[in-house]
Amino acid sequence: MDFDFELILAVAFVVTFAAWLYDRLVFAPKRKQILQQMAPEAASQLDNNAKLRLADTPKWLLEVKSYFVIITVIFGLRSFVAEPFQIPSGSMLPTLEIGDFILVNKMDYGLRLPVLNTTLIETTEPKRGDVVVFKYPENPSLNYIKRMIGLPGDVVSYHNKRLMVNGKLMDEELLAELPVSKNPSREPVAVFKENLDGVSHQVYKSYRRNPLEGDWVVPEGHYFVMGDNRDNSADSRVWGFVPEENLKGRAFYVWLHWDEFFSLPSFKNNGLIE
């Protein structure tokens, strides 16, 4: 998720808007004046393209401004409604597989200014158990996805592969034991159903020792996140807390799976993200 398409789209929006505005202010009045001076019969014979070329309007300007509407629609939808991402790693197995294409609700956690990510309108607060997309604290140009574990003020503990929040051990139930052949992480794992204050989801735990243990107090304005593939995830246990201003939205739907360029896309994982 290291391709900053949002920035590229923002630049495209600014460029096409500038072209549209320049044409609107400079060339559109000239074209209108020329059409008014023409005989009605002659003007009616001109198609839209011919009318746009009146007043020696530069071809490059017409070409650039023609993309303004479609880029505005795409930019608006991605920035304020829903943004697509592709899962690049197995840190969220078994919830999300490598190659899953997901949608992120951009209206959760506040409507934010594109690129800068500054909150314009506050909406809902993050909840424990949400699957969230955020700007990686150590490199904000990268987007990460993890599960929300600790909210501001929480005390999070992880020892002997058991999760505890505010002194309460999170319930879990063993569902299955997968051999190497059935696990994309290429190691045997145990599959558990974990309950985070009413949010049930599955997690992977390997049989090897995990050094990612400790106790953390989540500071105000920050969050603690973890991957569902608990022994194969670099998360808050490694690089610390996620600032509130880094949040981008809540992942809520898998709409396509396409793990390799030369493979066929499939809809095998389609559905809401738990």
Side-chain angles (χ1 to χ4, degrees):
M1 305 171 76
D2 57 349
F3 183 63
D4 199 348
F5 187 73
E6 182 180 38
L7 178 59
I8 295 174
L9 198 59
V11 172
F13 169 76
V14 171
V15 170
T16 55
F17 172 71
W20 175 86
L21 184 63
Y22 183 58
D23 177 72
R24 183 86 173 177
L25 296 177
V26 177
F27 291 100
K30 295 179 181 179
R31 292 195 296 266
K32 182 177 180 181
Q33 184 179 16
I34 292 174
L35 286 171
Q36 289 175 342
Q37 293 172 349
M38 293 177 64
E41 296 80 5
S44 65
Q45 297 299 315
L46 299 176
D47 59 21
N48 287 334
N49 289 330
K51 291 178 181 178
L52 288 173
R53 289 195 297 270
L54 294 174
D56 295 325
T57 306
K59 184 177 180 180
W60 67 264
L61 183 65
L62 295 175
E63 189 71 24
V64 173
K65 81 152 195 166
S66 67
Y67 294 102
F68 173 60
V69 173
I70 188 169
I71 287 180
T72 298
V73 171
I74 295 173
F75 186 54
L77 289 174
R78 285 178 58 99
S79 299
F80 303 111
V81 181
E83 185 172 1
F85 289 96
Q86 183 183 19
I87 303 301
S89 74
S91 69
M92 283 297 293
L93 285 168
T95 304
L96 298 171
E97 297 182 11
I98 298 173
D100 280 347
F101 283 78
I102 65 171
L103 291 177
V104 173
N105 188 331
K106 300 302 291 289
M107 292 183 285
D108 280 355
Y109 315 151
L111 293 180
R112 297 170 184 262
L113 194 65
V115 181
L116 299 178
N117 217 40
T118 305
T119 301
L120 298 174
I121 302 174
E122 294 185 356
T123 55
T124 59
E125 296 289 333
K127 298 184 292 294
R128 196 180 339 277
D130 286 355
V131 176
V132 298
V133 171
F134 55 92
K135 293 179 178 292
Y136 178 39
E138 295 188 354
N139 183 358
S141 66
L142 301 178
N143 294 310
Y144 271 30
I145 182 167
K146 305 292 179 185
R147 190 174 296 276
M148 183 69 69
I149 302 296
L151 307 177
D154 283 349
V155 178
V156 178
S157 301
Y158 193 71
H159 295 280
N160 299 318
K161 304 195 179 186
R162 291 301 305 271
L163 176 64
M164 183 180 293
V165 181
N166 296 327
K168 178 184 177 182
L169 195 63
M170 298 294 102
D171 294 334
E172 64 178 29
E173 174 188 355
L174 178 63
L175 297 180
E177 295 181 337
L178 300 183
V180 175
S181 60
K182 293 186 178 181
N183 177 21
S185 295
R186 301 307 178 192
E187 65 175 330
V189 294
V191 185
F192 287 88
K193 180 179 180 181
E194 184 178 74
N195 189 310
L196 289 174
D197 288 347
V199 178
S200 295
H201 62 102
Q202 294 183 13
V203 299
Y204 276 176
K205 295 183 183 182
S206 73
Y207 295 99
R208 54 185 166 82
R209 180 181 177 276
N210 188 343
L212 301 180
E213 296 187 342
D215 303 280
W216 302 267
V217 178
V218 186
E220 289 300 317
H222 291 74
Y223 298 91
F224 189 95
V225 297
M226 294 175 66
D228 288 348
N229 193 355
R230 292 290 161 79
D231 298 308
N232 291 282
S233 173
D235 46 43
S236 289
R237 295 171 293 174
V238 178
W239 40 255
F241 307 104
V242 178
E244 188 277 335
E245 59 267 23
N246 284 39
L247 297 179
K248 293 179 68 72
R250 177 179 59 85
F252 71 96
Y253 194 80
V254 177
W255 60 277
L256 183 71
H257 179 82
W258 193 8
D259 53 358
E260 295 180 1
F261 183 77
F262 293 104
S263 65
L264 292 176
S266 73
F267 303 99
K268 68 184 183 72
N269 295 338
N270 281 36
L272 294 174
I273 298 172
E274 296 181 350

